[in-house]
Amino acid sequence: MTLNIILLGPPGAGKGTQAARLEEEKGMVQLSTGDMLRAAVKAGTPIGLQAKAVMDAGELVSDEIVSGLIGERLDELGGETSVIFDGYPRTAAQADALDAILAARGRKLDHVIELQVDEDALVDRITGRFSCAACGAGYHDRYKQPKTPDTCDACGGHEFKRRPDDNEETVRTRMAEYRAKTAPILPIYEARGIVGRVDGMAPIDEVNAAIEAILG
Ligand code: AP5
């Protein structure tokens, strides 16, 4: 059965971490607008050039740009592929756009999974985060170190990087954006009866198990 799900939660809630687990364990595909935008910035495309300053400030990139990216990526996937929307939608306009994008492709939203977290702990999670420069596998200074020091578990790479927007000041702006523009879209999905809530402060494996229990 093809699934279309949204992982919703503030910065650092664990959306990317859990999406990677669902890719591994359930063969789903993660569609992260943050990753798409970072790839555009790295490649120096017109979208990347437009997005860079906005992302560095922790503000939101325009609804048209991110919805366009999502539509393009969905078209590259087969209609039978199950997808995880990570970091999208983030505004009411994006939620409306997603409905139209899915309907046009014969898809429908099955679950919106809210990762419930304690915001004070998130700054610590985000400022301790790093990833493999070669394959992008994610780690944390305290919660998820590579099994062999300085060596990526996934690809054996030895270079790691940190995101430019992972400093405390920008994280606070990202959280304010989440509270003001993203949290208010939850009632749209609650009215459809498709919201599942998971304790995002639990250990990574437990969060994964709770999500998979919702997916059935
Ligand atoms: P984006 O890349 O989407 O960033 P974000 O939403 O701020 O989310 P993060 O990637 O920071 O957090 P996450 O929830 O994935 O946490 P993670 O799993 O890494 O967006 C970046 C920017 O792009 C935005 O600010 C905006 O400018 C722009 N943008 C993107 N999408 C947009 C859109 N739709 N519209 C407009 N603009 C958009 O976990 C964090 C750390 O915690 C990791 O180190 C992890 O190992 C650790 N961790 C995870 N889970 C646990 C756990 N259970 N216990 C302990 N540690 C944990």
Side-chain angles (χ1 to χ4, degrees), residues 9-19 30 32-35 37-38 51-52 54-63 66-67 70 86-91 94 115 117 122 124-130 138-144 163 165-166 170-171 174-175 177-178 199-207:
K15 303 180 295 293
T17 302
Q18 295 302 329
Q30 172 195 25
S32 156
T33 40
D35 287 350
L37 291 167
R38 279 184 288 279
K52 186 175 184 329
V54 180
M55 293 173 77
D56 286 349
E59 292 160 7
L60 294 187
V61 174
S62 83
D63 293 330
V66 291
S67 295
I70 285 286
D86 162 6
Y88 179 88
R90 264 175 149 98
T91 63
Q94 291 179 26
L115 297 174
V117 282
L122 298 185
D124 169 58
R125 273 200 195 172
I126 291 179
T127 52
R129 170 170 64 180
F130 60 99
Y139 298 98
H140 192 277
D141 291 330
R142 275 187 305 288
Y143 310 123
K144 194 182 168 209
R163 277 171 41 178
D165 60 343
D166 277 353
T170 307
V171 171
R174 285 158 59 196
M175 284 176 182
E177 289 281 77
Y178 180 84
D199 175 13
M201 298 310 296
I204 292 171
D205 284 346
E206 284 179 27
V207 179

Side-chain angles (χ1 to χ4, degrees), residues 112-213:
V112 176
I113 296 176
E114 185 196 9
L115 297 174
Q116 295 189 303
V117 282
D118 164 9
E119 276 202 14
D120 289 336
L122 298 185
V123 174
D124 169 58
R125 273 200 195 172
I126 291 179
T127 52
R129 170 170 64 180
F130 60 99
S131 64
C132 172
C135 75
Y139 298 98
H140 192 277
D141 291 330
R142 275 187 305 288
Y143 310 123
K144 194 182 168 209
Q145 278 282 351
K147 292 184 182 106
T148 308
D150 299 325
T151 306
C152 175
D153 298 344
C155 77
H158 297 295
E159 262 189 64
F160 296 89
K161 60 180 183 180
R162 290 178 192 262
R163 277 171 41 178
D165 60 343
D166 277 353
N167 58 76
E168 182 163 351
E169 189 192 345
T170 307
V171 171
R172 299 263 178 220
T173 306
R174 285 158 59 196
M175 284 176 182
E177 289 281 77
Y178 180 84
R179 276 193 301 271
K181 296 173 185 164
T182 309
I185 70 177
L186 258 171
I188 299 173
Y189 299 120
E190 272 162 354
R192 295 184 201 172
I194 56 170
V195 176
R197 294 200 160 78
V198 166
D199 175 13
M201 298 310 296
I204 292 171
D205 284 346
E206 284 179 27
V207 179
N208 171 248
I211 293 173
E212 293 195 2

